[in-house]
Amino acid sequence: DAKTTQPNSMESNEEEPVHLPCNHSTISGTDYIHWYRQLPSQGPEYVIHGLTSNVNNRMASLAIAEDRKSSTLILHRATLRDAAVYYCIFPTGNQFYFGTGTSLTVIP
Amino acid sequence: GAGVSQSPSNKVTEKGKDVELRCDPISGHTALYWYRQRLGQGLEFLIYFQGNSAPDKSGLPSDRFSAERTGESVSTLTIQRTQQEDSAVYLCASSLGAYFGYTFGSGTRLTVV
């Protein structure tokens, strides 16, 4: 399995930035790093993905280390709706391996 | 459709009965995946379909589990002789291909009593 390592849980105050780390030391040079999040009672939702350089979209930013063995998902201003489990994954064979992710709590 | 649709949203069945879960992917998405998520756990890969290629069944936990997909349309996941340990949320996702992002459905919550 293509494994990633994430903290089990993190907390953030509302309207503050959140940096969610992920280690993926076994990633190959051509694998994209993907981030998904899962809100309670819903299926996972795509957040962002990237290969080497940093990526931005309307939901978040993705900072990828130069050696690609780690990455950080950045939520610029956490809202209560960002409370979810965040998964950092990359493809192995035909599928993505989802670990248990990071459960983010946003404190009002 | 606009998203991935799964039905039923909830299913309660008696131990030993067969169940069939349905997934309607996004039109044009050639890849379709089934995952299982037990309570409080991460997603467990079950099976992958890509176009008309033979499916990757490497994640199916036993021969009681099977899945079919007709072309690039609807898929059904069948669980025969259900057991209590089959209770979980079954998630379907589709994408343009193995290296593209997934769009997930809301899942089917299966409870075996």
Side-chain angles (χ1 to χ4, degrees):
Chain A
D1 291 339
K3 293 289 179 66
T4 59
T5 304
Q6 299 177 255
N8 288 332
S9 62
M10 292 184 65
E11 285 187 353
S12 173
N13 293 320
E14 195 177 8
E15 298 190 3
E16 289 188 357
V18 182
H19 290 230
L20 298 166
C22 179
N23 289 320
H24 32 77
S25 59
T26 63
I27 196 170
S28 77
T30 57
D31 287 335
Y32 279 77
I33 299 151
H34 293 245
W35 283 80
Y36 285 76
R37 71 180 185 182
Q38 187 173 24
L39 279 65
S41 301
Q42 295 187 26
E45 172 189 30
Y46 167 82
V47 177
I48 198 166
H49 74 291
L51 183 63
T52 54
S53 56
N54 296 343
V55 184
N56 301 289
N57 66 21
R58 63 176 179 81
M59 291 181 71
S61 295
L62 177 60
I64 301 169
E66 197 168 332
D67 64 6
R68 291 186 15 95
K69 294 186 185 301
S70 65
S71 62
T72 302
L73 179 71
I74 302 165
L75 306 179
H76 296 286
R77 290 183 65 214
T79 70
L80 297 178
R81 290 174 297 177
D82 292 323
V85 177
Y86 287 78
Y87 298 98
C88 159
I89 60 176
F90 60 92
T92 174
N94 292 323
Q95 50 107 358
F96 292 102
Y97 171 77
F98 284 78
T100 52
T102 297
S103 179
L104 176 65
T105 300
V106 180
I107 302 167
Chain B
V4 176
S5 177
Q6 291 189 247
S7 60
S9 55
N10 282 284
K11 175 72 175 178
V12 180
T13 190
E14 292 181 352
K15 179 181 173 181
K17 294 285 179 72
D18 298 351
V19 294
E20 192 172 276
L21 312 180
R22 176 186 170 104
C23 173
D24 282 276
I26 291 174
S27 178
H29 279 194
T30 58
L32 186 147
Y33 308 79
W34 284 96
Y35 282 83
R36 176 171 72 177
Q37 187 171 33
R38 291 195 168 110
L39 187 64
Q41 298 187 21
L43 278 70
E44 176 187 4
F45 168 75
L46 297 177
I47 190 168
Y48 160 69
F49 294 91
Q50 173 62 53
N52 293 317
S53 302
D56 176 355
K57 303 179 181 180
S58 59
L60 294 178
S62 77
D63 59 7
R64 296 187 295 106
F65 287 73
S66 62
E68 293 184 351
R69 186 183 188 196
T70 305
E72 295 181 357
S73 62
V74 171
S75 175
T76 55
L77 176 69
T78 301
I79 308 173
Q80 295 178 311
R81 305 181 301 283
T82 52
Q83 304 294 313
Q84 287 187 326
E85 62 262 28
D86 298 334
S87 296
V89 176
Y90 289 82
L91 290 158
C92 174
S94 70
S95 78
L96 290 170
Y99 286 80
F100 290 84
Y102 290 5
T103 300
F104 280 86
S106 297
T108 293
R109 181 175 299 278
L110 176 66
T111 304
V112 182
V113 297

